[in-house]
Every structure is written in structure tokens, then in C-alpha cells.
Amino acid sequence: MSFSFPVEAGAVLMFARALGDLDPRWYDEASTAAQVHGGVLAPPTFVASAAHFDPDWPYRPHPGVPWHGSGRGPGFPPPASGSGTSLHAEQHYEYHRPIRPGDVLTVDREPGKRWEKQSARAGTLRFEEEITRFTNQRGELVLTAIRVRVVTERPVEG
Amino acid sequence: MRLEELTEGDSHSQVVVHDLTRTQLVMYAGASGDFNPLHTDEVYATQVAGYDKIIAHGQLTMGLTAKVVTGWVDEADLSAFGVRFKNQVWPGDTLTVSATVTSVTKGPHGPEAELALSTTNQDGVEVVSGYARLREAWTAEGR
């Protein structure tokens, strides 16, 4: 699948704030910190926020669709994961070119490898790899992301 | 610090979050777009998902881990960064990241360094292990 992901200065600033990272490299074009890098850059994990622009992202409420979080009641398990939990096991980024506010990235996602493992704590673990490529408005590949997700049979504490 | 100033074995450690708040998890949910209620909705997390509390986004811990690299070697840029999520991070946790230089080499575009990363909580339990590869800072690229 493919979608467009505009890199907006305000979104970059809010992302940096959510990390408690007030390095001016992420928001102040005039700062020495930004100039050393040829201008303002997006923080290393900013591409996580492409989720906002993913039309099929499951972890965002959609109008008219029941949301599995609490309201009047406690909510319900998301349909995909049964009684267990979908957890993020690994995340890898390869940086090919800088990402800066004003860029418009095209995001292409494809499934990677899949495998299963048995765990005494959590039952059967299903691992799934997802490969995401980010290409900028000049057609340059800027970043490759590999996400490994694991769906557990039972909840896993600590 | 510049890449040229790094030597194999150099290390640096820093507290990246002290007493992680539920508010910070809400901030991260809003900024990242990951509104999975497991991370912000304690009613859901305890009564439906079966956890003791809400759990932090793995990507938040990864982002916090990156701060040590970008803050320490501030005149370089990342060419690769990866983590394995080893244990849950909870509200109230204090996380410390330690970064150790495992190699410094000469690449096609100048010096490159590999760092091993480990993020631990207040009980010394590793929550994230990872690596970062650094290259010379971007200059006018991407303008």
C-alpha cells in the first residue's frame, strides 16, 4: 500500500516535545544546532507519525466505527489479536537522506517475513515483519523502516 | 561532539526520562498517531487487556533512546538505528540510556561510528537494547 505523508514543522515540534527533546535542531532554523545539519531535521523516529496519514491505521478511532477503548464500558479486545496482545518487538531504521519540514514523503509498505515461536509466558508468539520505504518529493529514497510485531496468545507482564 | 573525537570504548550515559507520566504517554499518542488504548486508557488496559497499568509505546522508548545519541555526538547524523524491545515501560519509570562506541571506521564519505545502546529502568532492568551508526552531519542535502 502507498500513501502521502507531509512533514510539517508544527508536527515535528510536537513530536520532539513528546520525547522531552528540546534540541533546537528539530525546530529552530536559525540555531547553530540546525545549521550544523544544513537546517532543521526531523528527529530520528519521527517517521512513526506517518501513522496519522495511513488510511488503514487501526490504532486511530474512525467516525462511525466502534472503538475498542473504554467509554461507558471498559472496551473490548481488538478483533485482530484475540485474547492476547499485539506488541512491537523490534524496530530498525536506515537513513539514506535527511528528512526536513516541508518534505512530502510517499510511504510504501509491504509485508516481510513471518514466523512463530513458543513461549512459556505468553503461549504461541506470531512474529510479522513489515517493511516501509519513505521517498521524498524529489524521488529520493530517504528512509527504510523495518518493524517486527509480535502477537501473543496471553498478556505479558514486565 | 564530532565524530572524529570518538574512540572505540568511549561511553556516555544519561537519564532520558524521570518518573514517566501518563501525560507524556498522551502527548506521544497525539504526536505519533498511535492511539492504541493500551497506552493511554487505564480502564481498558487493566480490565480488557489484563495489564496492571497502561504501558508505554515502544516507539516512545526508542525515541527517548535516540536523544542520547543525538545529544552526545551532536555534530553527526544517524545512518542506521535499531532496537529490540525487551521489557515493558510503565508510568513512573525512570529510564537511563548508555551508549558505547563499538567501532570507528573510515567510510566512503568520512568517518563512521557504531554505538551499542542499552536503556534500563530504575531497577536496572534492560527495556531496550539497540545500535546506532553515525555518519558525517548532513549539510545542504535535502534543501
Side-chain angles (χ1 to χ4, degrees):
Chain A
M1 70 158 314
S2 179
F3 59 91
S4 182
F5 168 32
V7 178
E8 295 156 333
V12 171
L13 172 61
M14 284 185 275
F15 192 88
R17 279 186 183 162
L19 298 176
D21 188 349
L22 300 185
D23 188 336
R25 188 197 305 194
W26 319 125
Y27 58 87
D28 183 359
E29 193 67 38
S31 66
T32 308
Q35 287 306 312
V36 165
H37 301 271
V40 168
L41 287 174
T45 61
F46 177 74
V47 291
S49 70
H52 278 298
F53 299 92
D54 179 348
D56 300 328
W57 177 244
Y59 298 118
R60 174 176 70 240
H62 295 274
V65 179
W67 176 243
H68 61 283
S70 70
R72 194 177 296 249
F76 53 89
S81 64
S83 60
T85 309
S86 168
L87 297 170
H88 202 162
E90 292 176 37
Q91 180 70 50
H92 304 269
Y93 293 124
E94 274 179 59
Y95 305 91
H96 313 295
R97 307 279 297 171
I99 298 176
R100 305 187 188 276
D103 284 349
V104 180
L105 306 180
T106 299
V107 184
D108 291 288
R109 240 177 219 152
E110 60 182 41
K113 289 177 287 196
R114 282 166 171 261
W115 65 98
E116 276 188 9
K117 231 166 87 173
Q118 293 300 319
S119 150
R121 279 201 307 170
T124 302
L125 304 178
R126 284 190 288 123
F127 290 86
E128 297 170 4
E129 220 178 62
E130 182 185 71
I131 299 159
T132 308
R133 292 185 180 85
F134 297 80
T135 307
N136 69 16
Q137 63 280 11
R138 289 180 291 274
E140 300 162 334
L141 180 66
V142 292
L143 192 149
T144 307
I146 299 175
R147 167 183 155 98
V148 182
R149 217 168 64 95
V150 57
V151 180
T152 70
E153 208 175 332
R154 297 188 288 273
V156 190
E157 295 291 338
Chain B
M1 164 129 31
R2 291 156 53 87
L3 216 39
E4 292 86 341
E5 299 171 72
L6 292 180
T7 311
E8 195 178 320
D10 285 355
S11 70
H12 177 77
S13 92
Q14 187 191 320
V15 173
V16 288
V17 68
H18 178 78
D19 188 3
L20 176 65
T21 62
R22 289 169 176 80
T23 303
Q24 186 163 359
L25 299 189
V26 170
M27 287 172 79
Y28 189 78
S32 69
D34 183 349
F35 298 101
N36 186 340
L38 204 51
H39 303 307
T40 53
D41 182 341
E42 201 131 316
V43 173
Y44 169 88
T46 56
Q47 295 183 31
V48 176
Y51 288 87
D52 286 343
K53 301 178 190 177
I54 52 175
I55 59 178
H57 304 77
Q59 285 278 159
L60 169 60
T61 307
M62 186 179 193
L64 293 170
T65 299
K67 287 205 290 185
V68 169
V69 180
T70 57
W72 180 33
V73 196
D74 58 346
E75 294 189 43
D77 276 308
L78 286 162
S79 59
F81 175 37
V83 298
R84 181 167 291 177
F85 301 103
K86 309 196 77 160
N87 279 290
Q88 301 292 9
V89 172
W90 309 94
D93 280 0
T94 292
L95 302 182
T96 303
V97 179
S98 82
T100 305
V101 178
T102 53
S103 76
V104 181
T105 52
K106 196 138 188 71
H109 311 291
E112 290 173 5
E114 289 266 351
L115 277 63
L117 307 172
S118 174
T119 304
T120 52
N121 66 17
Q122 63 285 353
D123 300 319
V125 174
E126 187 173 58
V127 294
V128 149
S129 69
Y131 60 89
R133 198 166 63 231
L134 290 166
R135 45 150 288 149
E136 293 277 83
W138 298 113
T139 52
E141 292 96 337
R143 307 301 298 174

